[in-house]
Amino acid sequence: MELKKYILREDEIPRQWYNILADVNLNPPLGPDGNPVSPDQLAPVFPMNLIEQEASTERWIDIPEEVLSVLNIWRPAPLVRAVALEKALDTPARIYYKNESLSPPGSHKPNTAVAQAYYNKAFGIKRVTTETGAGQWGSALAFACAQFGVECKIYMVRISFDQKPYRKIMMASWGGNCIPSPSNETKAGREALEKDPDTPGSLGIAISEAIEEAVADESGQTRYSLGSVLNHVLLHQTIIGLEAKKQMELAGDYPDIIIGCAGGGSNFAGLSFPFVLDKINGKQIEIYPVEPAGCPTLTKAPFVYDHGDTARYTPLLPMHSLGHAFVPPPFHAGGLRYHGMAPLVSQLVDEGLLEPKSVKQNAVFKAGILAARTEGILPAPETNHALATVIDEALKAKEEGKEKVILFNWSGHGLLDLTAYDSYLSGQIKDIVLSMDEIAECEKIYADFPKPQHLKHK
Amino acid sequence: MELKKYILREDEIPRQWYNILADVNLNPPLGPDGNPVSPDQLAPVFPMNLIEQEASTERWIDIPEEVLSVLNIWRPAPLVRAVALEKALDTPARIYYKNESLSPPGSHKPNTAVAQAYYNKAFGIKRVTTETGAGQWGSALAFACAQFGVECKIYMVRISFDQKPYRKIMMASWGGNCIPSPSNETKAGREALEKDPDTPGSLGIAISEAIEEAVADESGQTRYSLGSVLNHVLLHQTIIGLEAKKQMELAGDYPDIIIGCAGGGSNFAGLSFPFVLDKINGKQIEIYPVEPAGCPTLTKAPFVYDHGDTARYTPLLPMHSLGHAFVPPPFHAGGLRYHGMAPLVSQLVDEGLLEPKSVKQNAVFKAGILAARTEGILPAPETNHALATVIDEALKAKEEGKEKVILFNWSGHGLLDLTAYDSYLSGQIKDIVLSMDEIAECEKIYADFPKPQHLKHK
């Protein structure tokens, strides 16, 4: 029997997160006056303990015991050698994946949801609001809030709400309250509906609604929670890469190539940032964030200052952006339908430490089906973006006759995304590619904003 | 950080199944002539290697390396101390569960699906047919067949097919072909449709269809596969209990009470049979199979000879049965909607080694929601039957002030059963209880069949 899993014991779970802000320089978020945002300005939106974490430059940050105890429901997560996939591809490459699909909500998202629910609770917050695209994040936060006894309200992008009715029931089962966005419950929602009553919605709009509701609570007991993009979210996800590093050592291997899908950037960052540190220190690694050709933020949009949400409630963030008003085409990977990208991921791309790739939808689902029939797990549509690139690289290694070591993040399972597979299997998936003309149009919206500096790591 | 998982290393997976036929006497299956069925008579239905396994009385049977290698995708499965549930119940009981929800199809079913796909392949079979109720079994067999390159055709009970559209896509993603039963593709299906064009279908009818198609293939390359009931199926599931035994040792505990839901009996048997051996050898354990009050096979129906399917294609099996024509009421736990029960489980109940319980649907879902909000995993509706009884016993232990050790099987997750949770959360679940009058009516169908003997274990 060939061993293919590298398992850490429950008590070998990492006790600290890796904070890449210790090693990387970042343009600051800017307020409405064009000056860097102060912690106080963020206080109505986030609890102060998370605001402090957002700006911390400590390299290692302790994970609270209460957080570890909930993460332990499914962590440490296995590192798996994809033996059956390698065989199907007849490649000399050794392919490893971190299996993040085993959490109760089915993705990497609870790694930060649990931490955020804990910090909100610890700060005395009774209720959190958030947005969700595909529903992975909303489910994760509902799950996490149930663990700590915090109320949870979720604005779900309407197209996903309609396509994925199971998601809202899942959130409700954990006690969360999920409604479609845009809604009539907020000013931002009402404005979006006035402009286009039939809008499919967008993460940008849903974020605006969730922030608006949190800030409007005069009791001060509600805060907003974001599932990606921000520094503290990416920080919480680094447990993926820290575990993977220990497990690659158990396997006696080290990756030549690291691959993750990237929507807001959090699962990608979670796996890759601990290895980016190695790269900064001289290791030879290629690191690929992979995005859909229909929402090509990193591969085609410029590095600019832009808002994280449509109603412009957030500060200006330094990132690759298609514009805060961009409504992505309705392809089946809701988690990758975001106009922007995490400032930290954007910074590393600008600096040349990461090499972004984009892939088309049919190749994405073809990869997912092959993975399901070999490795057994039905991947989330988002994960299929990583898989398509993994397969490309494994076939390239075969052509070149090289024993490349590839590590990727199996960010979630697709059991609640089966309509997408149905579309693919019945030949109804379209290859949506955003043209440079369309992108030029998108860019106009931030033309007058300040521009970020091109920085180098420390 | 409190440790709560008991994990075996990948190479600590059990290498043999426990065959309870070494220790228990069983009435033989009877053919149309009233005589015990010979292996040859079963040859058109099952491959000979599985027929031999069905009748074997060897206590320990080696698990083939190829089977272990696929089981290793998710096995060994964790044993978990349900610390959060205990706390919510404020009970002195120590509650442990075996987490079988982590397999790619989401339940215990692939434990036997993988073995059956392997043995069919090894016997030169190209194609297997089967039935499925809730869809757990059909998904598991499609998954397993993809691993060994065997074709898979699934007849799915119509009410579940309609209620759970995601299931057929899941099977298709793994390459399986799933159609609603009764169908027009078989004589058994056409007869059922003639009798009642609007029938919700039943496992009994779907089994008839799948057997008929397998036997009708004149090339001899198709066989039928059953997801529960038979001895070899229960044998393959004993890996659950064998792992649990090692893990309870790691925990330094031994169960006073063992609980599993029972439809055909396979997940229940898988967990409990290795402990039944201890009970036969003198250990004090209470062992409870739990069934729905709407399909109370073990708690209310007599121990008789009856057919396993509606069209009476199967031999007469010695079991607790509501009659082969029984169409269970349409409650939301498709995996427990079967008129009969595994002969081995029925035998142990008849002999007094097991004490069956039945539970009502609202208590079942209430238990599931509590489990989801404490332990984090959203349970399958079937698992909720076990959970309802676990909670009853834990509260009884509290009343009595006793430190009872309870072990149960978390047989699957409910991510594809969310409509059932939706019904419960919106107050639409009915407590269906089958009356003794209704049962007396059911019993007429086997009144003239031979009667099984009351046997004692070896």
Side-chain angles (χ1 to χ4, degrees), chain B residues 314-350:
Chain B
T314 77
L316 285 171
L317 301 171
M319 59 184 182
H320 286 265
S321 175
L322 290 159
H324 58 267
F326 180 66
V327 178
F331 54 81
H332 284 282
L336 307 182
R337 297 178 70 251
Y338 183 57
H339 70 273
M341 179 58 66
L344 279 166
V345 173
S346 297
Q347 169 62 34
L348 295 175
V349 168
D350 187 59

Side-chain angles (χ1 to χ4, degrees), chain A residues 55-347:
Chain A
S56 168
T57 54
E58 290 288 318
R59 184 170 286 117
W60 299 101
I61 294 181
D62 289 344
I63 308 178
E65 287 290 306
E66 295 87 341
V67 172
L68 286 172
S69 169
V70 178
L71 294 180
N72 262 339
I73 291 176
W74 74 99
R75 302 206 78 87
L79 178 81
V80 184
R81 173 89 183 268
V83 178
L85 179 61
E86 288 172 16
K87 204 172 151 192
L89 297 171
D90 188 25
T91 174
R94 293 193 294 283
I95 305 174
Y96 295 86
Y97 62 89
K98 194 68 183 153
N99 185 357
E100 293 293 316
S101 76
L102 297 172
S103 72
S107 79
H108 67 289
K109 289 289 187 185
N111 293 329
T112 182
V114 170
Q116 292 191 48
Y118 165 77
Y119 283 115
N120 272 284
K121 177 80 173 185
F123 194 68
I125 300 304
K126 301 266 184 288
R127 190 158 174 277
V128 297
T129 63
T130 197
E131 77 295 327
T132 196
Q136 294 276 23
W137 168 245
S139 309
L141 194 63
F143 155 79
C145 283
Q147 293 288 324
F148 292 103
V150 175
E151 273 181 61
C152 183
K153 165 83 167 278
I154 304 114
Y155 290 88
M156 184 167 183
V157 176
R158 169 161 292 164
I159 181 170
S160 293
F161 188 92
D162 293 340
Q163 280 177 350
K164 305 184 181 186
Y166 278 21
R167 279 284 176 193
K168 71 167 184 290
I169 310 173
M170 195 173 172
M171 296 180 225
S173 300
W174 278 310
N177 176 19
C178 173
I179 65 165
S181 164
S183 77
N184 276 311
E185 299 198 10
T186 65
K187 186 164 157 285
R190 287 187 295 272
E191 281 176 8
L193 287 171
E194 264 167 43
K195 260 191 213 157
D196 178 6
D198 298 322
T199 174
S202 71
L203 274 173
I205 298 168
I207 293 172
S208 295
E209 292 205 271
I211 294 177
E212 188 181 322
E213 182 178 338
V215 172
D217 177 3
E218 288 175 3
S219 78
Q221 298 192 326
T222 303
R223 290 294 184 282
Y224 165 71
S225 173
L226 186 63
S228 191
V229 177
L230 297 177
N231 303 342
H232 68 271
V233 179
L234 276 51
L235 173 77
H236 301 154
Q237 294 292 356
T238 58
I239 195 165
I240 303 172
L242 294 167
E243 285 182 4
K245 257 190 160 172
K246 288 192 191 184
Q247 291 164 313
M248 288 299 296
E249 266 179 48
L250 291 180
D253 247 336
Y254 188 89
D256 297 305
I257 304 174
I258 293 175
I259 296 171
C261 63
S266 78
N267 98 77
F268 168 77
L271 177 64
S272 66
F273 279 9
F275 293 93
V276 169
L277 178 57
D278 290 359
K279 186 165 180 169
I280 288 175
N281 290 331
K283 272 270 189 193
Q284 276 281 48
I285 328 173
E286 291 168 61
I287 308 181
Y288 307 153
V290 184
E291 57 188 16
C295 192
T297 319
L298 289 173
T299 49
K300 289 193 172 168
F303 181 52
V304 296
Y305 263 116
D306 194 12
H307 294 283
D309 71 315
T310 306
R312 318 205 308 182
Y313 292 149
T314 77
L316 286 172
L317 301 170
M319 59 183 179
H320 286 266
S321 175
L322 290 159
H324 57 268
F326 180 67
V327 177
F331 54 81
H332 285 282
L336 306 182
R337 297 178 70 250
Y338 183 56
H339 69 272
M341 179 58 67
L344 278 167
V345 173
S346 296
Q347 170 60 33

Side-chain angles (χ1 to χ4, degrees), chain B residues 87-352:
Chain B
K87 204 173 152 193
L89 297 171
D90 187 26
T91 175
R94 294 192 292 285
I95 304 174
Y96 295 87
Y97 63 89
K98 194 66 184 153
N99 185 357
E100 292 293 315
S101 76
L102 297 172
S103 72
S107 79
H108 67 290
K109 290 287 187 186
N111 293 328
T112 182
V114 170
Q116 291 191 49
Y118 165 77
Y119 283 115
N120 273 284
K121 178 79 173 186
F123 194 69
I125 299 305
K126 301 265 182 292
R127 190 158 174 277
V128 296
T129 64
T130 197
E131 76 295 327
T132 195
Q136 295 276 23
W137 167 245
S139 308
L141 194 63
F143 155 79
C145 284
Q147 293 287 324
F148 292 103
V150 175
E151 273 181 62
C152 184
K153 165 83 168 278
I154 305 113
Y155 289 88
M156 184 166 183
V157 176
R158 168 161 293 163
I159 182 172
S160 293
F161 188 90
D162 292 341
Q163 279 177 351
K164 305 184 181 187
Y166 278 21
R167 280 283 175 193
K168 69 167 185 291
I169 312 172
M170 193 172 173
M171 296 180 225
S173 300
W174 278 310
N177 175 19
C178 173
I179 65 165
S181 165
S183 76
N184 276 311
E185 300 199 8
T186 65
K187 185 164 157 286
R190 287 187 296 272
E191 281 177 8
L193 286 172
E194 265 166 44
K195 258 191 216 157
D196 178 5
D198 298 321
T199 175
S202 72
L203 275 174
I205 299 169
I207 293 173
S208 296
E209 291 206 90
I211 294 177
E212 187 182 322
E213 181 179 340
V215 172
D217 178 3
E218 289 174 3
S219 78
Q221 297 193 325
T222 303
R223 289 294 184 282
Y224 165 70
S225 173
L226 186 63
S228 191
V229 178
L230 297 178
N231 303 343
H232 68 271
V233 178
L234 275 51
L235 172 78
H236 301 154
Q237 293 293 354
T238 58
I239 195 166
I240 302 172
L242 294 168
E243 284 182 6
K245 256 189 161 173
K246 289 192 191 184
Q247 291 164 314
M248 288 299 296
E249 266 178 49
L250 290 180
D253 247 336
Y254 188 89
D256 298 304
I257 304 174
I258 293 175
I259 295 170
C261 62
S266 78
N267 97 77
F268 168 77
L271 177 65
S272 66
F273 279 9
F275 293 93
V276 169
L277 177 57
D278 291 358
K279 186 165 180 171
I280 288 175
N281 290 331
K283 272 270 190 193
Q284 276 282 49
I285 327 173
E286 291 168 61
I287 309 180
Y288 306 153
V290 185
E291 57 188 15
C295 191
T297 318
L298 289 172
T299 50
K300 289 193 174 168
F303 181 53
V304 296
Y305 264 117
D306 193 12
H307 294 285
D309 71 315
T310 305
R312 317 205 308 182
Y313 293 149
T314 77
L316 285 171
L317 301 171
M319 59 184 182
H320 286 265
S321 175
L322 290 159
H324 58 267
F326 180 66
V327 178
F331 54 81
H332 284 282
L336 307 182
R337 297 178 70 251
Y338 183 57
H339 70 273
M341 179 58 66
L344 279 166
V345 173
S346 297
Q347 169 62 34
L348 295 175
V349 168
D350 187 59
E351 199 169 336

